[in-house]
Amino acid sequence: MDRKLDELLHSLMQNMMIAVSGEKLARDLGVSHSTLVRWVEKLRAAGIEIRGELFTGYRLVRLPDVLLPQLIRPRLHTNFIGRNLYHFYDVDSTNLFAGRLLSHDRKVPEGTVVLAEAQTAGRGRLGRIWFSQREAGIYLSMILFPKAPPSLSPLFTLATAVALHNAVERYAGLDIDIKWPNDLLIGNKKFAGILSEIQAEVDLVKTMIIGVGINANHEHLPEDIQHRATSLRIASGRIQSRIEILLEFFEEFETIYMDFERKGPAGIIEQWTRFSSFAEGRKIEIHDGIRKISGTTRGLNPLGALRIEQKGGKVEEVYSGDVAAWD
Ligand code: BTN
C-alpha cells in the first residue's frame, strides 16, 4: 500500500504544477478510479496539497516539510539506509521504538530508520532528556547489525558524527565542528547529538541503534540550554529543509559505513580528526563518570578513544565522557 502511495506521489511530483488526468494516473498505477480517489485522500490527509480539477485531473500544489516516507523514498539513492522507514507524528522516543521493533520482529532489515516529528520522551546521553519540538527538529534512529566486536562500537558513533558533519556542511554551507565524541557544534554551541545503544555478546555486536537529534528549524531554544545550544535556522538565519538534510545524511552515512566494513576504521579516524577542533592540542577536562582528567588532546587511538596528555607527559586514553574545553 505504502509503495503504491509512493508511486502515485512520484507521478504527481514529476508533473509538479501540471494537472495529470485521473484516468491516466489510475491506468499507470493499475488501479480503479475509486481506488485512486481514496489514495489521493490519503496523501491529502498527510498534509500534501493536491488540487483536483474537473476536466484536467490532479495537480500537486505544495509538499509539506514533513518527513513522510512517501516524500523520502522516491528520492533515496542509498542501498539499505532508509529503505525501510517508519514515520510517527508522535512517539515516546525513536530509539525506544527501534528497540521494541527489534524485540518483536526478528526480520527487521538492516538500515531500517525510525523517524518522528515529535518525541514525548526524547533521550540524550547520560540519562539527559532531548528537547524534541514538533516538526522543528530531525529525530531519527537507525538499526544496524555491524559485524564487529563491541570494542569497535564507539567508532560507529564517530562515523555518524562525520556523516552529519559532511551532510550539514554540504547542504547548509555552515562551518561545523565535532566535539568528542559526538556533539555537532556551530561556534561553541551544540545543534545535534547522537545516542548509540548496542546489544552485544562478548565478542559480537548483535544489534545497534544509532539515534540522531538535529536542531534544524527551532526559532528559539528553552532558556536553560540557550547558552550552549543552537539550531541550523538560528545559526544561518534561514529555514532549512529537513528532508534535504536527511537525504544527504543517509547517503553520507551509508558510504562511511560500507567503507568501514570493507577497509576498517582508519577512514573514520582520519575524517573525524580532520573535522574536529578537539582532536589535537585543545586544553580540556573530561569527566568519564568516575573521574576527571585534565590535559591536552593528542588525537584518537585506533578504537576511537581520545588521547589526553596530562601534566608530566602521561597520556590517558578515554573511551567515553563529557568534555569541557578551557581554551
Ligand atoms: C545527546 O545527548 O547528545 C544525544 C541526543 C540524541 C537524541 C536523539 S533524537 C532521536 C533519538 N531518539 C532519542 O530518544 N534520542 C535520540
Side-chain angles (χ1 to χ4, degrees), residues 93-95 119 121-125 130 139-141 183 190 193-195 211-213:
S93 144
T94 55
N95 270 35
Q119 299 182 113
R123 296 148 74 224
R125 284 174 67 227
W130 185 258
Y139 316 111
L140 73 93
S141 299
D183 287 350
K190 173 165 168 174
I194 301 163
L195 176 66
V212 176

Side-chain angles (χ1 to χ4, degrees), residues 157-264:
T157 314
L158 299 181
T160 311
V162 168
L164 276 171
H165 167 279
N166 295 350
V168 175
E169 274 209 349
R170 173 149 347 123
Y171 172 72
L174 293 163
D175 246 345
I176 309 294
D177 194 6
I178 310 175
K179 180 171 145 188
W180 189 85
N182 47 29
D183 287 350
L184 279 288
L185 311 182
I186 301 173
N188 283 325
K189 292 187 169 181
K190 173 165 168 174
F191 73 93
I194 301 163
L195 176 66
S196 301
E197 299 179 289
I198 62 165
Q199 219 204 352
E201 285 167 2
V202 180
D203 49 3
L204 188 70
V205 175
K206 283 172 67 189
T207 61
M208 175 175 264
I209 298 171
I210 300 187
V212 176
I214 306 174
N215 298 342
N217 284 326
H218 301 66
E219 283 184 87
H220 309 284
L221 289 156
E223 225 163 81
D224 56 323
I225 56 171
Q226 266 172 20
H227 62 289
R228 57 188 161 85
T230 189
S231 75
L232 297 176
R233 177 168 183 181
I234 295 169
S236 66
R238 281 195 308 274
I239 294 184
Q240 305 287 335
S241 160
R242 293 181 306 148
I243 285 194
E244 298 296 334
I245 295 169
L246 197 65
L247 290 166
E248 290 278 357
F249 169 68
F250 285 166
E251 280 183 45
E252 284 289 337
F253 182 80
E254 186 171 285
T255 307
I256 295 170
Y257 185 72
M258 282 164 65
D259 239 45
F260 184 16
E261 291 218 317
R262 279 199 293 260
K263 303 187 207 146

